[in-house]
Amino acid sequence: MTVSVVLFTRDLRLHDHPPLRAALSGARGVVPLFVRDRAVDAAGFAAPNRLAHLADCLRDLDAGLRERGGALVHRVGDTVAEVCAVADETGADEVHMAADVSAHAHRREERLRSALAADGRRLHVHDAVTTVLAPGAVTPAASDHYAVFTPYFRRWSRERVRDVLAAPRAVPVPEGVRSAPLPSRDELTGLSPGLPEGGETPARARLAAWLRSGLDRYADRHDDLPGDATSRLSPDLHLGALSPVEVVHRARRAGGAGAEAFVRQMAWRDFHHQVLAARPHAARDDYRTRHDRWREGPGARRDIEAWKRGRTGYPVVDAAMRQLRHEGWMHNRARLLAASFLTKTLYVDWRVGARHFLELLVDGDVADNQLNWQWVAGTGTDTRPNRVLNPTAQARRFDPDGAYVRRWVPELAGLAAPFVHEPWKLRGKERAAYDAYPEPVVDLAEGLDRFKHARGRD
């Protein structure tokens, strides 16, 4: 009978947690451990909104463990050093953790395995904890990963998804293990005003409500900007307050067209994770280079600042960027429009946009964020790399009455469609009444011509 350490990373839950269940099997004690790694802070991922969500998740996880006779051990420092220290203090001979896909996660795993082995201890890394399928579970014949989603999805859909594990009834934790105080969102500044509560308990409530009243309409309304018919579960999936395996099982049990469309989006999430697992450099470099010479200089910087502030003169783009700043979240269709506008219409490097999103998004997942940005920019896995989304055409289609724009761009609240999407078409006194809203930073036709010329397609 031994003591085992469970290293929590992006799997902050008790339901459907394979590392925890494996550690509890045959152990007389388990140390649930989370390490606030300063290397993650130094790399720029310690954004206030995600830190607040993390604090909520840790406190909820600790409460759940205490209900089961345990408690969360929280340490601050280098993950490998802290895990080894806890193992020394408790006499643990095994460490269990979830697999992850980033370059940082790969290095952490290698260092931890080596350090533990030097002390005669074992590291067990569990797949299908942060994704539905392990990144390498399905591969094409001639490659280590799929580069196109559709064939990946066909294979992914045929694979068996592992069973969901129940939350443990008891988690016996050895006494006397040193723990740092848990963080609190009250200690943070610069948070988005509309930030949701994090943690497994509210996440499971959101999932239940979504399955009950949102899933059946998802197929028809997931692109509806004012209707906001998306699940909003991405922050809960990002830090693992929800199990993606459980989410897929429960959606499939519900059935219907909405469930099929939603599960397809879960497959997109797995797709991006398997791409990043195979090509970690895609977090910072073009997956497929187009040899872009992105705009720089004063003009580009002015456009970038206008885009960040929601002052581009294109209402649907500005609404999207203001929603991001207020909620730490953005509707998926709005993300596509904002990203296309920056990379294609303004011809600005996708990394600028990806970095800004990571500064604000609660669900700022490296795989999803970076690879979605690359998909839109045409440097990623999109099979139509030069497509450009026209913001006014998209606004008329997905916000036909202008309700989304009026919600987030209050200076245009008095305008009806179609002018709410094209206020620059107003003349005289009518335009003067809305002069607090800027003129467009670029003419769409000029932006399109510039992009086509840059990509050699004019």
Side-chain angles (χ1 to χ4, degrees):
M1 301 294 283
T2 62
V3 172
S4 295
V5 175
V6 179
L7 176 62
F8 287 84
T9 53
R10 293 200 305 118
D11 48 352
L12 303 180
R13 63 181 184 269
L14 295 176
H15 290 79
D16 193 44
H17 199 286
L20 179 59
R21 297 294 296 194
L24 285 167
S25 177
R28 62 179 171 84
V30 169
V31 183
L33 173 67
F34 180 84
V35 180
R36 172 75 183 275
D37 196 326
R38 293 308 190 194
V40 176
D41 295 0
F45 290 103
N49 285 342
R50 286 197 300 284
L51 289 180
H53 196 73
L54 171 63
D56 290 349
C57 287
L58 293 177
R59 287 179 173 270
D60 191 80
L61 177 59
D62 180 61
L65 288 166
R66 289 181 184 277
E67 291 174 359
R68 293 162 172 82
L72 182 65
V73 175
H74 176 230
R75 296 286 182 92
V76 179
D78 174 70
T79 297
V80 174
E82 294 300 329
V83 171
C84 290
V86 169
D88 282 338
E89 293 167 21
T90 60
D93 58 3
E94 293 185 343
V95 176
H96 294 261
M97 68 180 296
D100 209 342
V101 299
S102 69
H104 169 76
H106 288 166
R107 290 192 299 269
R108 178 182 61 197
E109 180 184 326
E110 292 169 4
R111 290 176 55 226
L112 184 55
R113 189 183 303 280
S114 177
L116 291 171
D119 291 333
R121 298 183 170 102
R122 296 183 299 277
L123 175 65
H124 301 276
V125 179
H126 299 260
D127 289 324
V129 180
T130 61
T131 53
V132 180
L133 300 182
V138 293
T139 56
S143 179
D144 58 353
H145 73 290
Y146 278 93
V148 178
F149 175 72
T150 300
Y152 173 80
F153 181 58
R154 283 196 293 265
R155 281 285 308 278
W156 186 93
S157 299
R158 295 197 298 266
E159 291 295 308
R160 179 186 178 277
V161 178
R162 66 165 178 81
D163 295 335
V164 176
L165 303 174
R169 294 184 177 181
V171 182
V173 177
E175 295 182 1
V177 185
R178 178 177 57 83
S179 181
L182 291 175
S184 168
R185 71 159 61 196
D186 295 336
E187 303 164 353
L188 299 166
T189 59
L191 301 180
S192 293
L195 207 62
E197 180 185 8
E200 183 177 17
T201 302
R204 295 186 70 79
R206 280 189 285 268
L207 174 61
W210 160 250
L211 294 173
R212 184 173 59 251
S213 60
L215 184 63
D216 60 349
R217 58 179 184 159
Y218 182 76
D220 296 327
R221 299 193 59 196
H222 67 276
D223 278 326
D224 178 5
L225 285 169
D228 194 9
T230 62
S231 73
R232 285 185 174 252
L233 297 177
S234 53
D236 303 316
L237 290 164
H238 169 54
L239 286 180
L242 288 178
S243 159
V245 169
E246 182 181 2
V247 169
V248 165
H249 272 299
R250 292 180 66 175
R252 283 176 167 169
R253 281 202 303 271
E260 292 176 6
F262 180 66
V263 169
R264 182 181 176 88
Q265 293 305 309
M266 295 295 292
W268 265 109
R269 184 175 181 275
D270 271 18
F271 173 75
H272 286 146
H273 280 74
Q274 60 96 38
V275 171
L276 191 64
R279 300 291 183 271
H281 67 82
R284 61 185 184 278
D285 301 325
D286 290 347
Y287 178 78
R288 290 175 173 149
T289 184
R290 306 298 172 188
H291 304 289
D292 288 295
R293 300 183 65 179
W294 303 106
R295 289 175 61 220
E296 296 179 338
R301 288 194 291 272
R302 283 193 299 271
D303 288 348
I304 292 167
E305 186 60 24
W307 177 81
K308 288 181 178 180
R309 292 174 55 214
R311 300 279 295 170
T312 67
Y314 289 94
V316 73
V317 174
D318 294 340
M321 299 306 294
R322 296 185 195 189
Q323 181 183 27
L324 172 63
R325 186 165 296 279
H326 182 82
E327 295 189 347
W329 184 87
M330 189 193 292
H331 191 291
N332 184 61
R333 173 56 56 174
R335 296 187 198 207
L336 296 176
L337 299 182
S340 178
F341 187 82
L342 183 73
T343 58
K344 302 259 176 91
T345 304
L346 297 181
Y347 197 55
V348 168
D349 194 334
W350 64 266
R351 281 159 282 242
V352 173
R355 189 179 310 115
H356 181 68
F357 271 31
L358 283 178
E359 289 172 357
L360 291 169
L361 282 174
V362 182
D363 61 11
D365 183 279
V366 172
D368 289 330
N369 186 65
Q370 309 302 84
L371 291 171
N372 270 315
W373 267 97
Q374 291 223 49
W375 188 91
V376 175
T379 63
T381 61
D382 188 5
T383 55
R384 294 171 54 197
N386 297 307
R387 80 174 86 201
V388 179
L389 299 180
N390 181 303
T392 54
Q394 292 275 308
R396 287 193 294 267
R397 180 178 179 185
F398 298 113
D399 185 27
D401 295 326
Y404 178 73
V405 165
R406 283 189 290 274
R407 182 185 308 162
W408 295 109
V409 188
E411 56 267 47
L412 299 180
L415 278 176
F419 287 116
V420 72
H421 295 307
E422 300 173 293
W424 59 87
K425 290 187 175 181
L426 294 170
R427 294 291 181 266
K429 291 182 179 179
E430 289 182 322
R431 181 67 183 97
Y434 296 95
D435 62 0
Y437 187 72
E439 292 293 314
V441 294
V442 65
D443 179 78
L444 291 180
E446 292 177 6
L448 181 61
D449 288 345
R450 177 173 59 196
F451 174 72
K452 287 182 175 179
H453 179 73
R455 287 275 172 97
R457 299 182 65 82
D458 52 0

